Amino acid sequence: MAFIEAENVYKLYPAKRSLIGKPKTFIHAVDGVSLTIDKGSVVGLVGESGSGKSTLGRLLVAMEKPTKGRITVDGVNLARLKGRKLSETRKKLQIVFQNPDASLNPRMRIGEILSEALRVAGEEPSRDRVDELLASVGLQPGVAEQYPHQLSGGMKQRVAIARALAAKPEFIVLDEPTSALDVSVQAQILNLLLDLQEKYNLTYLFISHNLAVVHYISDITAVMYLGEIVEQGPAHILYKNPWHPYTKALISSMPLLYRVKAGITTEKVELKGEPPSPINPPKGCKLHPRCPYATEKCRREKPPEIRIGKNHTVKCWLYAKK
Ligand SMILES: Nc1ncnc2c1ncn2[C@@H]1O[C@H](COP(=O)(O)OP(=O)(O)O)[C@@H](O)[C@H]1O
Ligand SMILES: [Mg+2]
């Protein structure tokens, strides 16, 4: 059952702010994304910095509105919601960011931070509920008395997760939740997230530029390049048998030891140069200036999304029926 559905979603930001008149150039942060997230599943979103992952995450939790396209939550079009209905739906949709230092108020004790989150969610805060939230993320009740700066990075991220849980969400966007943490702490937080997902039947969009982390945590993996999802499919299939040249390039550049252990034997694909600017992205397939397989058609026309298996699609001319 689909819980979140994005249909041909775009988000453009003005590239230059002019004081008078309309901006002429736009950053195509999200550029025609369609994505279905089933209830109780984990979709992993990978892609280089600047590919539009965070923007897509903010759109899916209704923090921002798409420029074009439709987002439905549990069958309800977000654009149709206003006032109380919108705020009720927003509670079901939470987001956890990479850096807890930026998201936790340094002047508030942890207990106050969680009490405030409960209040925002429409619940009268109590010591018991705060303790319960702390316990759910593996923290002792005493943490309620402490300030963020007294906690380690991992503990702060646990508090940020507890705060998201205060609203009893159904869907959580985890935007690089472990990227700022030490490797050993990363694994603990990933396992905590998986435990919580099972316990509360949560649905996740897990954003990371770390391919190994996404391989570990996701049921479905989606690969983003310059605002587009170029390939998506079941994680165990996509990592072993990637189709898109960009996915192949990412996966074949994972550490050899990792690939051997995971049984990844995909051919090496080397891309030329660096990702271009999302302000004036290349015409046709956006990867064509870097892709070793690019043909004349790739330079001219946008590739369609081609279905290659159950829940597995790829946007690439190599696989279009002639
Ligand atoms: N609020 C914003 N205003 C203007 N440009 C933005 C804004 N948010 C993101 N962008 C731009 O959109 C593109 C995608 O950014 P982002 O979604 O943060 O990518 P990622 O999370 O994959 O690194 C980048 O070029 C970024 O500079
Ligand atoms: Mg980001």
Side-chain angles (χ1 to χ4, degrees), residues 188-249:
Q188 291 168 16
I189 299 290
L190 288 180
N191 289 328
L192 168 69
L193 289 168
L194 286 174
D195 289 345
L196 291 169
Q197 193 236 345
E198 204 177 330
K199 189 167 162 200
Y200 300 116
N201 190 30
L202 295 167
T203 305
Y204 288 160
L205 179 73
F206 189 97
I207 299 174
S208 179
H209 62 270
N210 184 324
L211 286 147
V213 166
V214 169
H215 190 194
Y216 179 68
I217 203 163
S218 62
D219 301 311
I220 298 280
T221 301
V223 181
M224 241 178 142
Y225 184 71
L226 287 179
E228 294 184 60
I229 292 178
V230 295
E231 180 167 1
Q232 54 180 306
H236 62 285
I237 295 174
L238 184 135
Y239 276 80
K240 281 216 169 143
N241 192 13
W243 286 50
H244 199 284
Y246 183 67
T247 319
K248 287 185 183 177

Side-chain angles (χ1 to χ4, degrees), residues 4 10 32 43 68 128 135 140 170 187 194 200 250 253 279 302:
I4 304 283
Y10 291 77
V43 172
K68 209 170 89 182
D128 279 356
Q140 300 294 322
E170 292 183 57
L194 286 174
Y200 300 116
L250 289 181
S253 63
I279 298 175
K302 252 188 193 313

